Amino acid sequence: MNIQQVDYNGLIPNNVSLGGDMRVKRALEKWHPGYINWWNDMGPEGFQKSLVYLRTAVSVDPKGWAKFDYVRMPEYRWGVLLAPQQEDRKIPFGTHKGEDVWQEVPGEYRAMLRRLVVIQGDTEPASVEQQRHLGKTAPSLYDMRNLFQVNVEEGRHLWAMVYLLQKYFGTDGREEAEALLQRRSGDPDTPRMLGAFNEKTPDWLSFFMFTFFTDRDGKMQLEALAQSGFDPLSRTCRFMLTEEAHHMFVGETGVTRIIQRTCEAMKEAEISDPYEIEKVRKLGVIDLPTIQKKANLHFSLTLDLFGNEISTNAANAFHAGLKGRYREHRLDDDHQLESNTYPVLRLINGKIQNEDTPALSALNMRLRDDYVVDCNNGVSRWNKVIEQIGIPFEIKLPHVAFHRHIGEFSRTNADVDGNILSPAEWTNQRTDFLPSAADKDFIESLMKPQFEVGKFASWIAPPKVGIDNKPGDFEYVKIHDA
Ligand SMILES: [Fe+2]
Ligand SMILES: [Fe+2]
């Protein structure tokens, strides 16, 4: 069998020869009904019977890996797909650097590895749960389809992690796979493991910000795990990254189209001051300062996902060869970092300043720095749109100390420029930086469904091109074809 092709004959599509691995096949088939129950309970609400124009992976060849067709979401073929094995691959970093990669879990790192897989796995169903109400207020069928595409692929990412747990971690792997179906985003008793995945995604601007900022954290984590010396994890993450690219496309273009619509409406109405918020809102579009506040919120929540700036867990995972740096293979150093340092932004005597820290302990900080660079690239593309239309406004990422709940800056209140505020100042200024109740109410007032083929809500511009090159009047979701 060609490893690039996916076998769709059994219950679980795969390119890992599941047919010849009865133990894992049975374990996954046993897990399958629980997954479908979870999807029916916690997946997109109200559209489970609609026909959605979705892509499904048919190969892991980066050129032409997907086919598009109408699918009812519960019938989506979730499968186990790994990027092809690279011959003679060596562990690229850490104390085992240069040794052959592991095809089985190294005993001494078993607990650490399982934890990495479980944490990644937990984020995947969480975002589906967070986004489950959004279909009802979709600004177009095009956007609705993109939401559902992201949702089914996050479901597949859960499958990817569950495969690793079932295949490589025995009984405790099976228990973890079960627990991944039990936790619920935002549930006070059984929440998801990470903070940002227990927040609400109440509206479509939040959804686009989430896919821009939080799925991009996913990309960074997957890039770091794709370097892993545990080869099955590396191969799994490499294929997930091809799917993840679409999620960030959805986020980046979604926000771009909102910004574009706002700026165009302002131009037409001859409003040049972006801070004439009430006038702009009367046009049925989202004012730029509110878009900025949403970016502040989602950026800061996502930074918390990188964990403590200085972290022994991160050092241990790197040292062991389990989790590398962003694009480790492109970095020019000894890939062991035993004697290197890295500047970490810290709060020292009430001032925010850099401090040289052992590089191994600073790996979370480093990944976060790479993340911020990646975010800024996207933000500058947003700003080009504003500039081209000629509105004097620039979206800026807030300072990394702003609105933090984890790490160095969780003990302080900083404004978006990194000035330290007293608790009273923070309370007074909070809604200058973050969406107020009134901002939320306004956004919510715009969230009216637009389900007519080829039409878009007032506050978002149509996309430049359709999915799979479909024309503007393509029916991406056949809602009533139940
Ligand atoms: Fe994912
Ligand atoms: Fe994603």
Side-chain angles (χ1 to χ4, degrees):
M1 191 186 100
N2 178 352
I3 174 74
Q4 304 233 334
Q5 293 307 311
V6 181
D7 176 4
Y8 272 88
N9 290 323
L11 177 67
I12 301 157
N14 70 92
N15 72 338
V16 293
S17 306
L18 211 50
D21 192 346
M22 288 321 285
R23 185 186 63 80
V24 178
K25 183 165 178 272
R26 267 201 294 269
L28 287 172
E29 285 176 353
K30 224 174 137 192
W31 187 80
H32 183 268
Y35 172 81
I36 295 294
N37 287 342
W38 167 80
W39 179 270
N40 285 327
D41 289 350
M42 298 310 294
E45 196 182 64
F47 297 91
Q48 301 272 17
K49 289 179 177 162
S50 303
L51 286 170
V52 187
Y53 192 68
L54 294 175
R55 71 176 185 187
T56 304
V58 286
S59 151
V60 290
D61 182 347
K63 311 183 244 8
W65 58 273
K67 78 170 174 46
F68 290 81
D69 207 350
Y70 285 106
V71 182
R72 290 188 181 85
M73 285 183 278
E75 291 161 20
Y76 189 79
R77 301 300 309 275
W78 286 283
V80 177
L81 306 167
L82 272 62
Q85 193 166 337
Q86 286 170 7
E87 245 174 85
D88 281 336
R89 187 171 169 254
K90 306 290 180 204
I91 298 170
F93 59 89
T95 187
H96 300 286
K97 190 188 136 198
E99 297 173 19
D100 287 344
V101 289
W102 301 296
Q103 299 303 335
E104 294 295 331
V105 176
E108 74 261 50
Y109 302 139
R110 189 188 158 84
M112 212 193 307
L113 199 48
R114 191 185 63 209
R115 178 103 188 134
L116 288 172
V117 172
V118 168
I119 290 178
Q120 180 62 41
D122 194 66
T123 65
E124 313 290 357
S127 65
V128 176
E129 293 164 1
Q130 288 170 294
Q131 296 161 12
R132 66 184 303 252
H133 304 296
L134 290 172
K136 289 179 197 155
T137 54
S140 71
L141 294 180
Y142 167 88
D143 290 294
M144 184 192 279
R145 177 264 166 211
N146 284 350
L147 164 71
F148 294 160
Q149 183 71 57
V150 170
N151 293 160
V152 294
E153 285 177 354
E154 300 303 5
R156 206 206 64 74
H157 290 177
L158 172 60
W159 272 91
M161 292 298 125
V162 163
Y163 169 72
L164 294 176
L165 289 170
Q166 302 273 22
K167 180 158 173 76
Y168 297 99
F169 293 92
T171 314
D172 39 342
R174 269 198 300 286
E175 282 164 14
E176 295 285 13
E178 233 12 84
L180 286 167
L181 294 176
Q182 304 309 326
R183 288 185 286 273
R184 291 286 181 272
S185 175
D187 189 299
D189 301 321
T190 54
R192 292 291 172 186
M193 296 169 88
L194 302 173
F197 290 91
N198 288 304
E199 298 285 332
K200 286 200 161 55
T201 310
D203 59 72
W204 278 78
L205 180 53
S206 295
F207 169 65
F208 292 130
M209 288 292 181
F210 186 97
T211 37
F212 181 89
F213 287 111
T214 310
D215 283 71
R216 192 179 306 274
D217 160 70
K219 167 185 153 179
M220 302 307 288
Q221 303 298 337
L222 292 174
E223 289 270 9
L225 293 172
Q227 303 291 335
S228 183
F230 179 52
D231 205 39
L233 177 61
S234 162
R235 293 171 55 202
T236 300
C237 292
R238 267 186 280 143
F239 185 70
M240 289 164 79
L241 280 164
T242 55
E243 295 166 313
E244 205 58 55
H246 178 66
H247 308 180
M248 278 173 300
F249 161 86
V250 170
E252 180 170 330
T253 56
V255 177
T256 301
R257 290 161 50 217
I258 295 174
I259 289 174
Q260 183 192 337
R261 187 67 206 103
T262 299
C263 293
E264 284 169 355
M266 287 172 68
K267 258 270 121 91
E268 281 160 32
E270 296 179 7
I271 302 171
S272 55
D273 180 358
Y275 293 95
E276 296 229 50
I277 288 173
E278 287 316 312
K279 273 195 189 170
V280 173
R281 288 184 175 182
K282 285 216 173 78
L283 306 172
V285 295
I286 306 174
D287 53 286
L288 297 173
T290 298
I291 295 174
Q292 173 70 67
K293 288 186 197 176
K294 280 278 200 182
N296 293 346
L297 174 66
H298 286 270
F299 178 68
S300 58
L301 289 173
T302 306
L303 291 182
D304 283 341
L305 293 173
F306 290 86
N308 284 310
E309 287 83 348
I310 297 172
S311 157
T312 358
N313 280 346
N316 291 341
F318 183 89
H319 184 77
L322 302 181
K323 184 178 177 184
R325 289 170 292 176
Y326 181 59
R327 301 191 170 156
E328 182 75 41
H329 54 290
R330 292 196 196 165
L331 300 174
D332 187 21
D333 56 27
D334 71 357
H335 302 277
Q336 292 185 313
L337 308 178
E338 303 284 352
S339 51
N340 304 40
T341 61
Y342 188 84
V344 171
L345 212 52
R346 306 200 62 176
L347 188 66
I348 298 165
N349 299 330
K351 284 212 176 78
I352 297 173
Q353 46 192 293
N354 270 319
E355 186 179 70
D356 277 341
T357 307
L360 272 177
S361 313
L363 286 161
N364 284 346
M365 174 77 196
R366 179 166 188 145
L367 194 61
R368 196 187 78 193
D369 283 344
D370 289 328
Y371 168 79
V372 174
V373 170
D374 210 55
C375 286
N376 265 316
N377 291 337
V379 170
S380 64
R381 288 189 287 270
W382 293 344
N383 284 326
K384 279 223 178 70
V385 174
I386 306 177
E387 197 189 313
Q388 270 162 9
I389 303 175
I391 306 291
F393 193 87
E394 200 183 323
I395 309 256
K396 285 195 197 95
L397 292 182
H399 194 281
V400 292
F402 169 74
H403 188 238
R404 297 298 306 281
H405 299 93
I406 288 185
E408 196 65 21
F409 304 112
S410 58
R411 299 177 276 122
T412 188
N413 292 307
D415 69 9
V416 288
D417 297 315
N419 302 309
I420 305 290
L421 304 181
S422 70
E425 287 171 324
W426 168 256
T427 309
N428 285 334
Q429 294 178 38
R430 187 188 159 94
T431 55
D432 296 346
F433 311 130
L434 293 168
S436 65
D439 296 332
K440 288 178 195 163
D441 288 348
F442 170 68
I443 294 173
E444 205 188 300
S445 75
L446 292 180
M447 296 297 125
K448 306 252 165 59
Q450 175 50 278
F451 295 168
E452 246 179 272
V453 176
K455 294 230 166 129
F456 289 81
S458 65
W459 48 269
I460 189 163
K464 284 207 176 69
V465 279
I467 291 296
D468 192 29
N469 280 317
K470 292 295 175 202
D473 60 354
F474 186 72
E475 192 173 6
Y476 287 100
V477 183
K478 296 185 180 182
I479 295 176
H480 304 294
D481 263 40

